[in-house]
């Protein structure tokens, strides 16, 4: 269930204004999507590097960064970074399942970060950096749960810890500010906090 901190910021009714056009591939970042596309929302720490990981994947139609899993409507980056909104930094991934299957995307997700750290990724500390999978179909939910089980077995064999990743249906995705969209395309030398465990995920 979404987190509802006692002192969550009130937020706002108006979404963050964004260009709506993906800086890298020129596709629309807002629905409706082309026929046949699927959408999944993934949180794996700071969303800058995470978004680049997925826009580079063949079969991904478009990506966008934003906030999800919490209580505050249309939060700002500053509000989310307080940890009080309940939201995680996430990437919306819209993909063509005839080109890339959900298992491949889930394998990328698991291998790109350390899902055993709870409310942090490395030096990025707070619930906004927690590991999270937000699904849009029952098939995605089932696939995500199976992948978590498979990766936990792999991590356990490697002497690693217990996965803390939340898996739940998506309620609402809130776009982050324009400055954060495709950040590493705008700032190629910018910060990327992605650090995996070095353990492969046996799916996809």
């Amino acid at each position: 269930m979404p987190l509802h901190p006692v002192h969550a910021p009130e937020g706002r009714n108006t979404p963050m204004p964004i260009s709506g056009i993906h800086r890298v591939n020129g596709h629309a970042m807002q629905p409706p999507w082309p026929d046949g596309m699927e959408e999944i929302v993934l949180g794996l720490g700071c969303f800058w590097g995470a978004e680049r990981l997925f826009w580079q994947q063949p079969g991904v139609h478009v990506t966008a960064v934003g906030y999800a899993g919490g209580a505050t409507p249309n939060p700002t980056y500053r509000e989310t970074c307080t940890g009080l909104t309940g939201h995680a930094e996430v990437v919306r991934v819209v993909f063509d399942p005839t080109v890339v299957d959900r298992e491949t995307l889930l394998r990328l997700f698991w291998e790109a970060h350390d899902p055993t750290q709870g409310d942090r990724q490395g030096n990025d500390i707070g619930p906004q950096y927690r590991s999270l999978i937000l699904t849009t179909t029952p098939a995605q939910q089932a696939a995500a749960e199976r992948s978590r089980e498979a990766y936990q077995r792999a991590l356990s064999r490697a002497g690693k810890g217990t996965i803390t990743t939340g898996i739940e249906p998506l309620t609402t995705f809130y776009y982050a500010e324009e400055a954060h969209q495709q950040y590493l395309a705008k700032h190629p030398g910018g910060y990327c906090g992605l650090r995996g465990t070095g353990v492969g995920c046996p799916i996809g």
Side-chain angles (χ1 to χ4, degrees):
M1 296 294 291
L3 297 179
H4 292 274
V6 174
H7 301 294
E10 290 185 7
R12 55 206 46 81
N13 295 326
T14 305
M16 294 297 151
I18 61 170
S19 71
I21 302 298
H22 197 279
R23 186 180 181 93
V24 177
N25 63 27
H27 292 165
M29 293 164 54
Q30 294 164 304
W33 315 122
D35 290 345
M37 295 294 132
E38 279 194 40
E39 173 189 347
I40 192 167
V41 174
L42 303 168
L44 50 161
C46 175
F47 50 21
W48 294 341
E51 185 185 19
R52 180 174 63 182
L53 173 72
F54 289 102
W55 86 51
Q56 292 176 338
Q57 173 63 39
V60 170
H61 174 72
V62 77
T63 57
V65 295
Y67 316 110
T72 300
N74 299 298
T76 65
Y77 181 75
R78 185 179 297 274
E79 287 169 344
T80 302
C81 285
T82 68
L84 296 176
T85 67
H87 290 301
E89 293 190 16
V90 295
V91 181
R92 170 182 255 173
V93 180
V94 179
F95 64 99
D96 183 345
T98 68
V99 179
V100 59
D101 59 28
R102 60 180 71 94
E103 285 77 15
T104 297
L105 296 178
L106 288 166
R107 176 173 53 79
L108 287 174
F109 167 82
W110 292 117
E111 293 180 355
H113 75 301
D114 183 346
T116 70
Q117 295 193 69
D119 285 349
R120 69 182 299 164
Q121 277 297 300
N123 292 328
D124 294 330
I125 299 172
Q128 67 271 27
Y129 299 116
R130 70 189 185 275
S131 179
L132 184 64
I133 300 174
L134 298 171
T135 62
T136 61
T137 69
Q140 281 184 12
Q141 182 77 17
E145 292 172 355
R146 287 194 304 269
S147 73
R148 181 172 57 186
E149 294 169 4
Y151 198 44
Q152 182 63 72
R153 290 192 294 270
L155 289 174
S156 296
R157 286 194 297 269
K160 305 290 185 180
T162 301
I163 290 173
T164 58
T165 305
I167 302 175
E168 59 196 52
L170 174 68
T171 52
T172 306
F173 171 88
Y174 298 105
Y175 286 93
E177 297 88 335
E178 177 67 25
H180 298 290
Q181 304 297 337
Q182 299 87 60
Y183 182 87
L184 292 181
K186 301 168 184 172
H187 308 280
Y191 171 76
C192 175
L194 289 183
R195 298 290 185 275
T197 62
V199 178
C201 182
I203 64 167

